[in-house]
Amino acid sequence: MKAHNAFLLVVFLSFLATGCADMSRSAFVETPRIEIISSQSNGLTSAVAGDLFRDVAKKLKFVVDPVQDEHDFILYSAHAPETNPTNRTFLALWIDNKRVLFQSNIYGTLQDFAAATNASSLFQQELDKRGIQYKVSTRKKLYQDGLF
């Protein structure tokens, strides 16, 4: 019995290591949040971040969900229309008091992650056009959770 369990553990870990396992995979593009745009500032206001998010969602032909204005943060989200079930990428824009975080998320394998990284690169291109510095990161998890 112990050998069987050890074998299953090895198989599971190899799936994780090679990217064959389905899991939540996210690409993030983060920049500071600012209140007022000036020539010295490096970041985005909430309004400009929202416009940039809607522009990228429109390029991808995604459906933008209603904005959630919570106590501590603002959340924008978008997803592929139901007529395109093969693209399971989910976009989110998280805005808190300090930062603006664009998230491209997909639940799937490493190969599926290409769709999410494509969306992430569109956010990066838009920030590059505006001369805004940003940080890119990725994350993978076996489960979904909040960011803040």
Side-chain angles (χ1 to χ4, degrees), residues 7 11 21-22 31 33 35 54 57 60 65 73-76 78 93-96 111 115 122 128 130 133-134 138:
F7 173 75
V11 169
D22 280 354
T31 189
R33 178 182 178 192
E35 295 296 323
R54 283 188 285 275
L60 294 169
D65 302 316
F73 63 90
I74 301 169
L75 172 64
Y76 291 73
L93 167 59
W94 303 84
I95 304 171
D96 68 8
Q111 290 77 21
L122 292 175
D128 287 341
R130 292 168 171 78
Q133 295 177 358
Y134 53 86
T138 59

Side-chain angles (χ1 to χ4, degrees), residues 61 75 99 106 120 134 142:
K61 299 181 179 158
L75 172 64
R99 65 183 177 164
I106 194 159
S120 176
Y134 53 86
L142 290 174

Side-chain angles (χ1 to χ4, degrees), residues 94-134:
W94 303 84
I95 304 171
D96 68 8
N97 291 331
K98 297 179 183 175
R99 65 183 177 164
V100 173
L101 186 66
F102 297 95
Q103 177 185 10
S104 306
N105 187 75
I106 194 159
Y107 188 83
T109 65
L110 186 58
Q111 290 77 21
D112 297 326
F113 191 46
T117 56
N118 177 48
S120 176
S121 69
L122 292 175
F123 289 123
Q124 293 171 51
Q125 290 170 15
E126 291 298 321
L127 292 171
D128 287 341
K129 285 180 192 175
R130 292 168 171 78
I132 304 294
Q133 295 177 358
Y134 53 86

Side-chain angles (χ1 to χ4, degrees), residues 53-65 77-82 84 86-92 103-106 115-116 118-119 122-123:
F53 180 83
R54 283 188 285 275
D55 289 347
V56 168
K58 185 177 179 179
K59 285 180 183 177
L60 294 169
K61 299 181 179 158
F62 276 21
V63 176
V64 178
D65 302 316
S77 60
H79 60 277
E82 291 181 17
N84 186 3
T86 58
N87 189 344
R88 300 173 310 196
T89 304
F90 173 80
L91 303 179
Q103 177 185 10
S104 306
N105 187 75
I106 194 159
N118 177 48
L122 292 175
F123 289 123

Side-chain angles (χ1 to χ4, degrees), residues 8 10 23 27-29 33 46 63 98 113 136:
L8 290 177
V10 168
M23 62 178 56
F28 299 96
V29 180
R33 178 182 178 192
S46 298
V63 176
K98 297 179 183 175
F113 191 46
V136 178

Side-chain angles (χ1 to χ4, degrees), residues 9-54:
L9 180 61
V10 168
V11 169
F12 177 72
L13 291 176
S14 69
F15 278 138
L16 289 179
T18 61
C20 295
D22 280 354
M23 62 178 56
S24 177
R25 299 171 188 274
S26 298
F28 299 96
V29 180
E30 180 180 346
T31 189
R33 178 182 178 192
I34 59 173
E35 295 296 323
I36 300 170
I37 298 175
S38 74
S39 61
Q40 304 296 324
S41 62
N42 180 41
L44 293 174
T45 63
S46 298
V48 172
D51 291 343
L52 192 148
F53 180 83
R54 283 188 285 275

